[in-house]
Amino acid sequence: EAGECIASAGVYDVEFKKVSTPGIHTIEDLSAFLGIGRAACAKALAGKGADGNIVVFFVPGDHELNDIKARRTVEGFELLTDEELKAAHLVKGSMGPIGLPKGIRVIADNALKSADKWVVGANEEGFHFVGAKQGIDFTVDAFADLCVVAPGDACPKCGRPLNSARGIEVSQIFQLGTKYSVSMNATFSDENGEEKPFVMGCYGIGVTRSMAASVEQHNDEFGISWPFSIAPAQVCIIPLAVDDDIVFPAAQKLADDLSNAGVEVAIDDRLERPGVKFAEADLIGWPLQIIVGKRGIEAGNFELKLRKNGKRCDIKVEDACDAIAQRVASFDGSDGGLNVFDDLFVG
């Protein structure tokens, strides 16, 4: 929420006058009508605080009012309904600081301090003021940090432009107050020896949120690509036959050996075509896939596939369990864990 919006570059430097703006009710329409940038216009939003008093917030036209900041500035702030606007004699789409009904406070975003002249509503349907000069044509009762931060806004610490990036919510913090401590009689003695209930809070990290966040970051056109550390199983064995005396017994033995060596293993023992198993193994996202086929066994090999990049290689049947188990045991959590297998796929 930190940051200050940049509006001074968009100031519309003209003489103060009232202009006709028929049918203009939004900043987008106003800026297009006047041929100026949205930042040169001041957006007005009217609301009331917990005390019932009305306040009009003004923010640069290329920014939005931050609800949380608004409530920090005016306790209990909430926007007025259309009916409440009419009752307060405020003109929706044409509000401005000049000619507001008596008793209504004007609070503007800090960025508008540098905007010497404003383009604002005239508090009259179909009219706006241009070149309105603060301190002469109108007065601002207070300035505050009000805007939703946007890319390009100045960092409040270093002044450099801020960049924007998507975030993923994986946990939450809750303020519980004294609701539960009172019911449980959980108290402490303050410095005066008086017993008081604890003010409680809690936090939670959601398992399903974490899974969703991981999938959002680790996927491709074929499906999920689980990081090694949180995959449903580290290795999936895919036998190309499950009703024979060669392929499935070899696959089952490998699965048992790996499991006994501490590796998390899944085995696809469904009566499905190989193509279906391959596609669904990628869709599910098993990090390391071991393909067991009759031709490969006859040549003394299993085929390994690394889900993260699709690389494949052969590994000797007698070496497979030890090679994989040793690398799993050396996993240090880096690179999603799959870096431990990279040396098997060289060349």
Side-chain angles (χ1 to χ4, degrees):
E1 296 174 8
E4 293 186 1
C5 48
I6 301 170
S8 56
V11 172
Y12 187 39
D13 191 9
V14 296
E15 293 302 314
F16 175 64
K17 62 180 178 180
K18 187 178 182 180
V19 296
S20 175
T21 53
I24 302 299
H25 298 101
T26 67
I27 291 294
E28 290 74 15
D29 291 343
L30 181 62
S31 63
F33 182 81
L34 297 175
I36 59 176
R38 290 187 300 142
C41 306
K43 183 184 298 184
L45 299 105
K48 60 183 178 182
D51 56 6
N53 292 327
I54 296 176
V55 60
V56 179
F57 284 126
F58 289 90
V59 299
D62 59 345
H63 282 68
E64 300 297 331
L65 178 68
N66 185 308
D67 293 339
I68 296 174
K69 292 179 179 180
R71 294 190 188 100
R72 287 177 183 167
T73 305
V74 174
E75 184 179 356
F77 177 82
E78 59 181 24
L79 292 173
L80 297 182
T81 64
D82 288 350
E83 291 74 17
E84 289 173 326
L85 285 171
K86 290 180 181 178
H89 304 291
L90 294 172
V91 181
K92 184 178 180 180
S94 189
M95 282 185 290
I98 302 171
L100 281 172
K102 187 177 180 180
I104 294 180
R105 295 181 66 211
V106 171
I107 302 178
D109 185 76
N110 288 329
L112 291 174
K113 287 181 182 179
S114 59
D116 188 46
K117 296 182 178 181
W118 295 16
V119 176
V120 293
N123 293 309
E124 183 181 347
E125 178 65 36
F127 289 92
H128 283 76
F129 286 119
V130 298
K133 193 172 181 66
Q134 57 176 306
I136 297 178
D137 301 311
F138 64 92
T139 301
V140 176
D141 296 305
F143 286 94
D145 179 16
L146 298 173
C147 286
V148 174
V149 175
D153 289 353
C155 171
K157 292 186 177 180
C158 68
R160 294 165 60 186
L162 296 171
N163 291 324
S164 175
R166 290 188 63 192
I168 302 174
E169 180 183 314
V170 296
S171 62
Q172 293 178 322
I173 298 174
F174 300 95
Q175 183 178 347
L176 302 177
T178 60
K179 176 179 179 180
Y180 298 102
S181 57
V182 168
S183 64
M184 295 186 295
N185 196 31
T187 62
F188 68 97
S189 296
D190 66 10
E191 58 187 2
N192 299 317
E194 183 181 350
E195 282 199 1
K196 291 184 177 178
F198 286 105
V199 176
M200 296 176 61
C202 68
Y203 69 90
I205 298 177
V207 174
T208 53
R209 289 175 182 269
S210 298
M211 290 175 63
S214 178
V215 171
E216 187 171 334
Q217 296 173 85
H218 300 281
N219 69 85
D220 56 26
E221 66 270 29
F222 302 111
I224 304 168
S225 180
W226 286 110
F228 193 63
S229 58
I230 62 171
Q234 297 160 333
V235 175
C236 179
I237 299 174
I238 305 173
L240 301 186
V242 296
D243 54 359
D244 72 327
D245 297 329
I246 298 175
V247 174
F248 191 73
Q252 187 64 63
K253 181 179 186 305
L254 178 60
D256 293 340
D257 290 345
L258 286 172
S259 181
N260 291 333
V263 180
E264 298 171 357
V265 185
I267 183 168
D268 189 344
D269 58 0
R270 298 175 300 160
L271 285 169
E272 287 286 0
R273 292 175 286 111
V276 172
K277 291 188 175 185
F278 296 154
E280 293 185 355
D282 282 350
L283 179 65
I284 294 170
W286 309 109
L288 183 67
Q289 300 167 18
I290 305 177
I291 300 161
V292 181
K294 183 176 181 181
R295 186 176 301 176
I297 292 175
E298 290 174 348
N301 297 320
F302 294 137
E303 183 181 7
L304 305 185
K305 178 183 174 182
L306 201 56
R307 175 63 180 88
K308 70 173 182 177
N309 53 26
K311 287 186 177 181
R312 296 170 181 263
C313 72
D314 290 332
I315 189 170
K316 294 295 183 183
V317 170
E318 62 269 21
D319 298 335
C321 180
D322 288 343
I324 293 169
Q326 289 171 9
R327 286 165 175 78
V328 170
S330 68
F331 166 57
D332 62 4
S334 62
D335 191 31
L338 297 175
N339 58 316
V340 297
F341 297 110
D342 284 346
D343 63 303
L344 293 175
F345 294 85
V346 175

